[in-house]
């Protein structure tokens, strides 16, 4: 069992930055790949970024490439999502998710989920 707790969301103006954090706890949590997904009102949950258990594999959605960076600190059991050049269309609830070892871009492939953190980007 892995527990995930997100933090760092908030309200920011377009062009601004936010850093999301996801703290993981539980057995073997360091061996899990971590993903970030987001869900805007009335839309399906969509993939944002993912990182493998050792950081060797990383994937981004096309919509965030060049603006968002995912990285992890296994010593602290935490994964981060640095979001720069934010746009109003980035507004959503952002969720952290975990699955064993390798990254996936499909939400149903992830076993554990956090409660989500709201990101709102004003124009």
């Amino acid at each position: 069992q892995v527990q995930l707790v997100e933090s760092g969301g908030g309200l920011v103006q377009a062009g601004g930055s936010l850093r999301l954090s996801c703290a993981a706890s539980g057995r073997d949590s360091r061996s899990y790949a971590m993903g970030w997904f987001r869900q805007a009102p009335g839309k399906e949950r969509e993939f944002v970024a993912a990182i493998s258990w050792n950081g060797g594999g990383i994937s981004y959605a096309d919509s965030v490439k060049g603006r968002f960076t995912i990285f992890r600190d296994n010593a602290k059991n935490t994964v981060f999502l640095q979001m720069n050049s934010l746009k109003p269309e980035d507004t959503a609830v952002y969720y952290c998710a975990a699955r064993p070892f390798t990254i996936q871009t499909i939400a149903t492939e992830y076993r554990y989920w956090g409660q989500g953190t709201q990101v709102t980007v004003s124009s």
Side-chain angles (χ1 to χ4, degrees):
Q1 190 79 4
V2 175
Q3 294 79 41
L4 304 172
V5 179
E6 302 100 332
S7 61
L11 173 64
V12 64
Q13 289 189 332
S17 298
L18 282 175
R19 177 177 290 186
L20 305 183
S21 300
C22 175
S25 61
R27 184 177 179 179
D28 297 327
S29 58
R30 290 184 179 88
S31 65
Y32 279 72
M34 305 295 288
W36 286 97
F37 291 78
R38 65 187 181 187
Q39 188 165 18
K43 295 188 177 181
E44 292 188 355
R45 191 168 297 189
E46 66 173 357
F47 171 75
V48 176
I51 186 167
S52 63
W53 72 277
N54 63 354
I58 291 177
S59 180
Y60 295 99
D62 287 343
S63 59
V64 306
K65 279 181 182 176
R67 300 188 299 123
F68 291 11
T69 302
I70 188 171
F71 58 100
R72 65 191 298 163
D73 184 343
N74 278 351
K76 297 181 179 179
N77 270 6
T78 303
V79 64
F80 302 92
L81 185 68
Q82 177 66 42
M83 305 186 296
N84 299 329
S85 302
L86 282 161
K87 305 175 181 179
E89 51 264 43
D90 294 318
T91 296
V93 177
Y94 282 70
Y95 297 91
C96 175
R99 71 180 308 277
F101 300 116
T102 58
I103 59 176
Q104 287 284 348
T105 62
I106 302 172
T108 53
E109 293 290 333
Y110 286 79
R111 185 178 302 176
Y112 302 107
W113 290 84
Q115 81 288 352
T117 185
Q118 177 70 47
V119 171
T120 303
V121 184
S122 62
S123 56

